[in-house]
Each structure stands twice: as structure tokens, then as C-alpha cells.
Amino acid sequence: MLWTKESNKNNALYVDAFSFKSLGSLNREYSQERKTAKNISCAKSDTISRERRLDGNQSFVKDDWLSASGLYNDSLCYAEPGSENISLAYANRSACFLHLKKYAQCLVDIELAESAGYPAHLMPKLQKRKADCLKLIEEGAQEPDDRLKLSFEADKNFPCMVNVLKIEKNAKGNLIMVAKEDIGVGKTIAAEKSFATCLYSKFGWRCNICMKEDANLKPCNKCNVAMFCSNECQASLIHEYECGQRFCRSTQTNGAIMNEMRMIFKAIEMFPNIDELMAFVEQAVQGDQKEIPQAFLDEKSKYRAFLKLPVNPTNTNKDDFWLITFCTYRMLMDMPKMNAMFKAKRHNRFLIHLIMQHVQIMSKNSIRIRLCSVEAAPRKRTDVCTHTGMLKGYFEHSCAPNVLWIDNNGYSLYITTRPVKKGEQLFVTMFDLLSKPKAERQRILWEQGNFLCVCSLCTGPEATPEQRKQLLSDPLYRSGGFDCLDKCATILQKHGHGPLCKEMKNLLDGYCMQLRFKYTNSTNIRAWAEIVSDSLSDE
Ligand SMILES: [Zn+2]
Ligand SMILES: [Zn+2]
Ligand SMILES: [Zn+2]
């Protein structure tokens, strides 16, 4: 029923999608959730701000700089405008940056502390930190961060990916990513800034708008949940719309709704009025759904490709789909600004269909980042944010992929993990399946991805004893030391192209783990990576 009109007439309205559902229970659920959300305050509080700073100090004395800076971020979020807590939190965070060897960020925080009225009697401490930091910079201690740098020249029309890739249509009509040249192991072939982002929890952890982590985050002046990496992100109208909005108490459900609301705000921001948005969307959804995109040079060309990302049509049978669509719609219409914008019946009906389209796209193409606690077993995994980029839609799944997807500072990085020959297709995986037996892989993919996998690992030949022997007798492999990225890459380059034996799978798994560790700022992933390389050395 998506994008169906009431008649064939020129000015016909879109059908009322909600009239096909019994809305009683959805309405009740909506009201209930909103009621519990009202009890969660997003007001500033100097008392909490001070508590969080003191908690941060506790982590600081245990040398846990990342946790400490996270708590100082919390402190900043809660600090009331004009309060001393602001300058104190910036100053303490600057000390974390110094220990984390982020000297430029340390200097910025010192400046922020000073301009927020840092107490005069403490100033000598801050000035000493500044002098120490400047000295370290002068000595060349600042390490350059080139993690977002592409390994080849960028494509002219798709600056987010390298010019040795192309997007092609395969025999089934699906868009796929293909290599135009041989590509070695460990090459960054794409760094795509997320098109849609949403933070679910741990708000003072990344920029609320672009998800940048490595930044001197500054709090929103009004609420206690959002921080921004730059004036540009702070000025974004997206947060102005969503500031103070909360759907429900549950972080996960709330995140799912806020994610969809944000996508509507983003769409609205691109066009001068709803009629132009409508014309653009209609043009995109009526055309060839599998057209090869021409370029990603501006937001509109990306939005067009976004609207054409693959969806799972059976999704609309699920209760979740209706809950998210309906509650997003109700939340939007409860906002006076949005209500005025979509007052006309034709705009209102269009909005419902647009939300449905977005929910379908996002449920198939968003990548959820989960934090995984390492202390407790069973490990607690929590979704903390989602990314939606377009490129992910063109990398098909393989259980033995040749590309690793990594989240870094709000970018999706694609790094080759096996040698790729000219003309070959590039694959990623969203589930860590390599070491699992086929039956289990297929079950997981069927349950979570709704497809039967026909990748090279599932249907191709297995590694021959001869291939395994070649790897095991290689002196480089025999010498061990698989915790070195370059060494793993060299072995993978030599032996990682064809079918994979058990030892090769372990090596590849370990290599991916180390890459994740290198490209992530999270301490949790670090512990995870260590666990895996332990089991590797047992082999
Ligand atoms: Zn930002
Ligand atoms: Zn806010
Ligand atoms: Zn497979």
C-alpha cells in the first residue's frame, strides 16, 4: 500500500495508511509511553553536574582517562548556564586529553575553561598544563590521525570512495561493489560520512549530530542530553527540533523513534517547503528502484540514493513496523512546528507514507553500534547509536568477506582484509560468522537477515589439504606474532585469496579484531580484541 493513491486523479491523496490498522492499541501504547517519558527530566542540574565531575575524578586517579572524560562530559551536560561547573569540567577534561596524547584537544579545553571563568586561585595549575602541552607539541609528540584517509585517490563523483571501485548492477539486478583494479590487503577503500545518525544512550560520548568522538564536545545550552563537536553541528536545526523531546523511558525504543523523527527533520531541512520535498520524493520513488547512482556530491543526490536503498517488503507485516511508524507520526504531529507544516491533508498523508518508506529503509540499512561490556558474563550488549550510509547497501554479504566495516568518528570505513583481484566483487559481513559452522551461520542469517546465504564459504569449495599445507609451512606463518597488523596483512596477501582453511580463518578473525581496535576509541572493544588474540595464540 506504500505510495498508493486513493484514485487515478491528478491531485488524488495518498491512502490513509493507518486506516488499515486497528489503532486502538497503538494509540494506548503511545499515550502510555509518553506518560513515562514525562518523568524523565532533561533539565540542567548543578548538583548532578558536580557529582559527575567527582565521579570523573575517581576514574581519573585510577588512570582511566576515557571513563573520566566521559564523566566530565556528563558533568558539562548537566551544568547550569553560567555555573562554575562548566569551567571545572573543561579543565579536568583537558587533563584527560593530555594523558590520552591528544594535545591539540587539550589546548582547546584549557581555552574553553578559561573563557568559562575558571577560578583565579586554580589558574596556575591550568597554566602549567598549558605549558607542558605546548612543550610536548613542540617536541613533535602529537601523533597525526590519518585513520579517515583513503588508500587510493578518491573517485570524482563519489568522493567517499576510491577510484578503483565502481558500483555495478549484477545479473539479479542488485547494485554491487566491484574492483576496477587489484587491491591489496589493509587498504581503506571508502570513508563515508553517515547520512543519518542517532545516538541512543551515553549522550555525552559523541557529537549528537555527526557522531564525532575525537572532539572538544560542548553541551547544548538547553537540555542535558546533547553535545556538539563544532559550531556547525551546534547550529544544525535538527537538534533544535528534537531538543527536549523524548518518546519513552526505554533507551532502545526511544532511540528507534528519535532516529525516524530525525530523518524527517533532515528531509525537511533540504527543501524550502513541503511541496518541493514531496515532488523530489515522488520522483525518486516512482523511478527505477535499482538505478545506479550518478554521484554523491550533495545532500540531495545522497537522499535520492537513500530513498532507493534495498528494503525488505515483508517488514510491513511486523508489529514493530507499525509501532515505530505510528509513534513517529504522533510525536511529530504533537510538535506545533511540525503540525503547522503538515496541516494540509495532502501533506499529512504524504508524511505517513514518507515515514513508512524511511522506516523500511532504515530497518534494513542502518548499522547499530553496540557496546559490549567485558566484565560480566553473559556479556551485556547495548545499542548505543545507529549509522545509515548508502555504500553499505552495495556491499553484499559474505560469511568470508574481503572487506571489514568499521565505525570511526561518525564515518563508515571500509578496509580490505583479503586480496581482491580486478573485476571481483567486494563483500562485508555484519555478523561475525567466519568461525561458526555452516548450519549455524545459515540459521543466524535466516533469522536476522531473512536470506539464504550462497557466499563462497557456504557454497564454494573448501580449502584443500595442499592449500592448508602451503600456509602452515610458510616460515612467516610459523614464526607467529599475529598481534602485528602488518605481518597479518602480509600473510593474508599471500594466502588469503582462495578458500580458507581453519588456521586462515583464525588469522583473518584476529586481523579484523586488531583493525577494529586500531580504529576505535572504545576501551570495551580493546578488551574484546585482546580476548580474541589470546585464543589465536592457542592454535
Ligand atoms: Zn558534529
Ligand atoms: Zn538540547
Ligand atoms: Zn555464507
Side-chain angles (χ1 to χ4, degrees):
M1 147 244 310
L2 186 57
W3 302 116
T4 308
K5 290 196 167 177
E6 289 182 334
S7 74
N8 290 331
K9 282 189 202 139
N10 249 347
N11 53 356
L13 298 170
Y14 286 106
V15 293
D16 178 2
F18 293 142
S19 69
F20 296 88
K21 288 295 286 182
S22 93
L23 293 179
S25 65
L26 283 177
N27 262 319
R28 267 196 304 282
E29 203 161 335
Y30 177 78
S31 313
Q32 236 158 32
E33 296 289 7
R34 285 304 305 260
K35 221 190 275 166
T36 66
K38 286 218 172 82
N39 299 328
I40 302 173
S41 165
C42 65
K44 306 271 187 191
S45 156
D46 270 337
T47 314
I48 301 179
S49 172
R50 188 170 172 277
E51 277 168 21
R52 296 295 159 92
R53 189 179 70 251
L54 297 178
D55 290 346
N57 294 350
Q58 298 256 326
S59 294
F60 189 89
V61 294
K62 287 183 203 147
D63 294 356
D64 187 353
W65 326 118
L66 276 173
S67 303
S69 63
L71 286 159
Y72 296 142
N73 280 347
D74 282 359
S75 177
L76 285 167
C77 285
Y78 279 104
E80 292 168 27
S83 114
E84 190 178 60
N85 286 320
I86 296 177
S87 66
L88 294 175
Y90 279 133
N92 288 7
R93 196 176 68 180
S94 75
C96 296
F97 281 136
L98 188 71
H99 285 285
L100 290 164
K101 302 191 168 69
K102 295 179 178 175
Y103 304 116
Q105 282 167 242
C106 172
L107 289 181
V108 174
D109 264 9
I110 291 172
E111 224 165 86
L112 285 168
E114 281 172 359
S115 59
Y118 192 66
H121 68 280
L122 295 171
M123 202 55 103
K125 208 166 83 175
L126 203 61
Q127 275 158 352
K128 178 175 183 305
R129 186 170 307 145
K130 190 173 179 174
D132 290 347
C133 190
L134 284 168
K135 191 161 166 262
L136 283 159
I137 291 176
E138 215 180 270
E139 289 165 1
Q142 176 93 54
E143 287 168 25
D145 183 3
D146 55 1
R147 290 181 298 181
L148 292 175
K149 198 169 170 265
L150 296 173
S151 300
F152 299 85
E153 230 172 274
D155 189 273
K156 221 168 58 242
N157 295 320
F158 298 91
C160 57
M161 69 183 206
V162 296
N163 61 4
V164 294
L165 294 184
K166 63 177 167 188
I167 302 164
E168 250 182 36
K169 207 181 260 199
N170 69 5
K172 285 188 209 153
N174 296 333
L175 298 184
I176 56 166
M177 197 63 89
V178 174
K180 290 200 290 196
E181 302 290 339
D182 289 0
I183 303 172
V185 174
K187 304 290 180 217
T188 303
I189 53 172
E192 184 187 25
K193 194 171 177 182
S194 292
F195 184 66
T197 59
C198 184
L199 291 186
Y200 283 24
S201 60
K202 281 195 68 161
F203 296 104
W205 168 58
R206 290 178 172 220
C207 171
N208 193 266
I209 300 299
C210 73
M211 303 221 293
K212 192 168 179 184
E213 289 176 86
D214 281 325
N216 294 84
L217 296 174
K218 286 192 262 181
C220 171
N221 295 327
K222 295 182 207 129
C223 68
N224 63 28
V225 298
M227 300 194 93
F228 307 102
C229 75
S230 62
N231 293 339
E232 191 195 341
C233 284
Q234 189 152 23
S236 151
L237 280 175
I238 288 177
H239 183 71
E240 210 172 298
Y241 286 132
E242 67 182 15
C243 184
Q245 299 280 342
R246 190 171 175 105
F247 169 62
C248 69
R249 190 172 274 276
S250 148
T251 310
Q252 304 294 296
T253 316
N254 185 60
I257 307 288
M258 296 306 291
N259 202 4
E260 297 300 336
M261 289 186 38
R262 181 175 271 203
M263 198 54 225
I264 296 292
F265 301 145
K266 193 172 167 82
I268 292 170
E269 279 313 297
M270 276 183 239
F271 299 89
N273 56 53
I274 303 302
D275 280 316
E276 285 196 33
L277 166 66
M278 226 169 128
F280 182 90
V281 172
E282 283 175 347
Q283 219 251 338
V285 298
Q286 279 161 10
D288 175 11
Q289 276 312 288
K290 292 188 172 175
E291 78 177 11
I292 300 175
Q294 295 304 303
F296 286 168
L297 292 170
D298 57 19
E299 290 297 281
K300 280 186 190 166
S301 62
K302 290 182 200 168
Y303 188 42
R304 186 179 168 87
F306 172 87
L307 288 167
K308 288 173 183 287
L309 282 174
V311 296
N312 186 356
T314 59
N315 205 342
T316 52
N317 303 332
K318 293 188 182 151
D319 288 344
D320 254 15
F321 173 83
W322 288 102
L323 179 78
I324 294 175
T325 305
F326 181 75
C327 295
T328 305
Y329 170 75
R330 283 287 311 266
M331 283 284 283
L332 289 168
M333 294 314 283
D334 281 350
M335 297 171 64
K337 250 189 200 164
M338 292 294 130
N339 199 302
M341 244 183 249
F342 291 99
K343 213 176 185 76
K345 203 167 177 182
R346 52 191 292 268
H347 293 155
N348 200 288
R349 293 275 179 90
F350 163 76
L351 175 66
I352 300 172
H353 285 256
L354 187 62
I355 298 170
M356 285 165 63
Q357 174 94 9
H358 284 176
V359 174
Q360 279 212 322
I361 293 166
M362 310 257 267
S363 68
K364 185 158 167 74
N365 298 283
S366 290
I367 299 168
R368 282 184 216 178
I369 313 286
R370 287 178 171 167
L371 274 192
C372 175
S373 71
V374 284
E375 304 95 27
R379 288 196 208 161
K380 196 170 161 253
R381 281 170 168 264
T382 349
D383 290 357
V384 283
C385 57
T386 60
H387 273 273
T388 313
M390 264 59 76
L391 294 185
K392 165 68 184 45
Y394 314 138
F395 284 91
E396 289 193 323
H397 165 85
S398 165
C399 300
N402 46 18
V403 173
L404 176 69
W405 177 90
I406 297 182
D407 146 65
N408 182 272
N409 273 313
Y411 280 76
S412 288
L413 290 181
Y414 294 84
I415 300 170
T416 50
T417 53
R418 301 172 65 190
V420 184
K421 302 225 158 93
K422 182 177 172 176
E424 283 181 344
Q425 190 179 342
L426 295 129
F427 298 94
V428 296
T429 180
M430 282 302 125
F431 315 98
D432 280 319
L433 297 172
L434 193 57
S435 55
K436 294 189 166 62
K438 181 175 167 181
E440 199 186 336
R441 294 202 305 269
Q442 299 249 313
R443 182 183 56 77
I444 294 173
L445 291 169
W446 185 255
E447 284 173 11
Q448 307 210 19
N450 224 327
F451 69 96
L452 188 69
C453 188
V454 292
C455 77
S456 64
L457 197 66
C458 288
T459 58
E462 288 188 23
T464 60
E466 192 49 43
Q467 280 168 322
R468 179 162 180 256
K469 219 175 114 194
Q470 263 179 21
L471 171 70
L472 297 188
S473 60
D474 187 329
L476 195 64
Y477 180 80
R478 294 174 69 89
S479 67
F482 302 134
D483 52 355
C484 167
L485 264 176
D486 286 344
K487 188 164 182 178
C488 284
T490 312
I491 301 172
L492 280 160
Q493 182 68 40
K494 248 170 110 178
H495 304 281
H497 187 259
L500 305 172
C501 62
K502 192 182 96 190
E503 288 79 7
M504 202 63 212
K505 286 182 193 168
N506 284 335
L507 189 84
L508 184 54
D509 257 344
Y511 180 62
C512 291
M513 241 6 115
Q514 289 179 64
L515 280 175
R516 285 200 187 103
F517 171 39
K518 178 179 166 186
Y519 284 89
T520 188
N521 302 314
S522 159
T523 41
N524 290 334
I525 306 271
R526 173 183 197 143
W528 193 27
E530 279 164 4
I531 290 164
V532 168
S533 43
D534 272 347
S535 69
L536 241 183
S537 50
D538 289 343
E539 288 291 325

